[in-house]
């Protein structure tokens, strides 16, 4: 063969070749910068996750405030017998409550002794039942007629009864009464003029229907008063 010739002129660009075979996966690239926050997505809430593992024990907290006193607890069992020596006798305790009455004792034997003094008179007994009606008694002696007279006084002294008479009662001298537009004068010589109890209204007015009224409308009463002055009275 001959010697190599001189390099030729650069030729035109050739046609694209057929795609080559897919190469092997390259190593992962460096981490890119954070992307922008995306819009809130729409979706169905997921299932609750599994319970996490218990955390570590926390630090002891500060002491709490003092609580209220609790209810008394039940009595504990009796303690074991002590080993000390027997103590001295204590002071006498307060008198105890009176115990219940005991059973009646048996009847004792007949005693011997002198009779005691007579006992005190007993209280009056309750009234008895009415007795049987007795027989008709004998006629009594002839009685005397009795008259009631009234004696008045205008002093603070009670007047004495005339000789040979007996005082039946004493009271206040009633003179005159007015009630329900009616007037009634009282005779001072009659027993009705001496009332044992003083009352401004010593009467009632009753109509034909047996309806009685007390101190109604213009009821008045007039009494015999003393002629003594105010300073003469006790």
């Amino acid at each position: 063969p001959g010697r190599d010739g001189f390099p030729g002129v650069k030729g035109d660009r050739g046609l694209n070749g057929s795609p080559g075979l897919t190469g092997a996966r390259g190593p992962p690239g460096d981490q890119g910068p954070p992307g922008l926050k995306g819009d809130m997505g729409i979706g169905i809430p997921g299932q609750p996750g599994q319970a996490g593992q218990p955390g570590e024990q926390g630090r002891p907290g500060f002491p709490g405030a003092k609580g209220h006193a609790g209810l008394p607890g039940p009595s504990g069992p009796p303690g074991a017998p002590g080993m000390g020596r027997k103590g001295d006798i204590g002071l006498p305790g307060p008198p105890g409550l009176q115990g219940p009455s005991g059973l009646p004792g048996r009847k004792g034997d007949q005693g011997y002794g002198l009779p005691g003094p007579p006992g005190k008179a007993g209280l009056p007994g309750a009234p008895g039942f009415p007795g049987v009606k007795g027989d008709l008694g004998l006629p009594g002696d002839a009685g005397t007629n009795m008259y009631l007279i009234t004696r008045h006084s205008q002093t603070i002294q009670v007047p004495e009864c005339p000789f040979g008479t007996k005082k039946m009662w004493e009271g206040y001298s009633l003179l005159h009464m007015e009630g329900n537009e009616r007037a009634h004068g009282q005779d001072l010589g009659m027993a009705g003029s001496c009332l044992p109890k003083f009352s401004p209204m010593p009467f009632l007015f009753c109509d034909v229907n047996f309806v009685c009224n007390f101190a109604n409308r213009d009821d008045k009463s007039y009494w015999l008063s003393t002629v003594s002055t105010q300073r003469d009275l006790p």
Side-chain angles (χ1 to χ4, degrees), residues 61-67:
F62 295 102
K66 185 176 180 181

Side-chain angles (χ1 to χ4, degrees), residues 161-178:
C161 296
F163 178 76
T165 60
K166 181 180 179 181
K167 183 175 71 174
M168 304 299 294
W169 70 86
E170 63 183 47
Y172 301 88
S173 303
L174 178 63
L175 295 178
H176 182 71
M177 295 183 295
E178 292 182 7

Side-chain angles (χ1 to χ4, degrees), residues 117-133:
K120 296 181 179 180
L123 298 175
F129 296 102
V132 181
K133 185 177 181 180

